[in-house]
Amino acid sequence: MTSLPTRFYGCYLLSSMPSEEKRTYIGFTVDVIRRLKQHNGLLPGGAKRTSRHQPWEMVMVVYGFPSKVIALSFEWHWQHGHMSTHIKSTYHQLNVGKPLNRGGAGARESVSANIAIALDLMRSKQWNRYPLRLAISESKWEPYIARCPKPPPHMVCEVRSFQELPVGSIAEDNDNCNIQDPNSTAECSICSGAVLGTRVKCPSTDCPLLCHTTCLASKFLENAAPHILI
């Protein structure tokens, strides 16, 4: 069996619990329980788009991504299934209907449709080689998974308490993977000068690169052939 990555990165599906306000929300997190409390207003930091449709329940989590960047890519394609090049050809077969603000709290796609989209992405060439797992909170969601084509055999779909899921670094619990806080200062990895504004950081958590955007651009272009603009 393929081993899971040492860091936890998860993409999750929420469903609003009021029967008259059936909305869904798709997001990314490194701490499932903490994130759910934020969405329900029990902790600060929840998305504004979910504040109007509380309470929310966590339906499912897809995890096992080898990096934050790959997890965020999965999140985007899950939110924008109608635009995804990986499943666009099959998206309309899911009977999802017209997309409405995908990923936001205004999305009206059913839980079953969102589960089908996630499983379709897991089977796609972009993600089917990773040791992904799909955890659902309650057995009542199992029939929705059973109706979908199965993911690759090395992937696991299971009913599991979200309390048992690993917890990653809180510093990574946001969707901003490369542009750093412009109010802090640091040393540019290229010119060694102070970085006093917007800077770029390598999305890999193991890479210390942090630099001016102009320094990085110059580095990329230093060996480029000259072009004449007409």
Side-chain angles (χ1 to χ4, degrees):
M1 179 179 293
T2 306
S3 60
L4 286 173
T6 55
R7 295 175 182 266
F8 179 84
Y9 305 105
C11 297
Y12 59 86
L13 171 65
L14 299 181
S15 175
S16 61
M17 297 180 71
S19 58
E20 71 279 3
E21 288 286 346
K22 266 304 176 191
R23 304 297 178 101
T24 57
Y25 181 93
I26 293 167
F28 161 85
T29 189
V30 298
D31 187 333
V32 172
I33 300 302
R34 178 176 178 273
R35 193 61 179 148
L36 180 59
K37 290 180 179 179
Q38 289 178 320
H39 283 301
N40 282 323
L42 302 177
L43 291 175
K48 292 182 180 179
R49 288 172 294 178
T50 57
S51 61
R52 294 166 48 191
H53 306 284
Q54 298 170 348
W56 295 87
E57 63 176 324
M58 187 83 70
V59 175
M60 60 175 280
V61 180
V62 179
Y63 64 103
F65 301 98
S67 73
K68 180 179 179 180
V69 172
I70 293 173
L72 288 173
S73 177
F74 186 96
E75 177 202 27
W76 188 93
H77 287 275
W78 193 4
Q79 292 174 344
H80 304 86
H82 61 292
M83 299 171 59
S84 173
T85 57
H86 303 296
I87 64 167
K88 191 174 182 179
S89 60
T90 59
Y91 176 82
H92 297 291
Q93 300 175 17
L94 299 175
N95 194 29
V96 177
K98 184 179 179 181
L100 297 173
N101 191 21
R102 295 284 301 137
R108 294 176 183 268
E109 285 84 349
S110 67
V111 168
S112 60
N114 278 312
I115 290 176
I117 294 169
L119 285 166
D120 208 24
L121 287 170
M122 292 169 69
R123 293 191 302 273
S124 70
K125 292 181 179 180
Q126 182 71 14
W127 291 282
N128 63 13
R129 63 187 183 277
Y130 298 124
L132 301 183
R133 291 176 175 249
L134 189 159
I136 54 176
S137 57
E138 299 181 45
S139 59
K140 67 179 180 180
W141 305 119
E142 286 185 297
Y144 295 85
I145 295 177
R147 290 200 293 263
C148 301
K150 294 182 179 180
H154 66 275
M155 294 184 180
V156 177
C157 297
E158 59 184 349
V159 178
R160 183 176 183 181
S161 169
F162 294 152
Q163 298 278 358
E164 300 174 355
L165 294 179
V167 176
S169 170
I170 299 301
E172 295 186 277
D173 202 9
N174 60 73
D175 292 353
N176 187 6
C177 61
N178 57 356
I179 304 298
Q180 300 299 297
D181 181 6
N183 296 320
S184 62
T185 59
E187 181 179 295
C188 177
S189 301
I190 297 176
C191 74
S192 299
V195 183
L196 300 176
T198 301
R199 77 293 303 270
V200 176
K201 185 181 185 302
C202 178
S204 173
T205 55
D206 298 322
C207 178
L209 177 72
L210 189 148
C211 57
H212 299 102
T213 54
T214 52
C215 287
L216 186 62
S218 298
K219 191 70 175 178
F220 285 152
L221 296 173
E222 64 182 11
N223 295 321
H227 293 79
I228 299 177
L229 301 178
I230 301 177

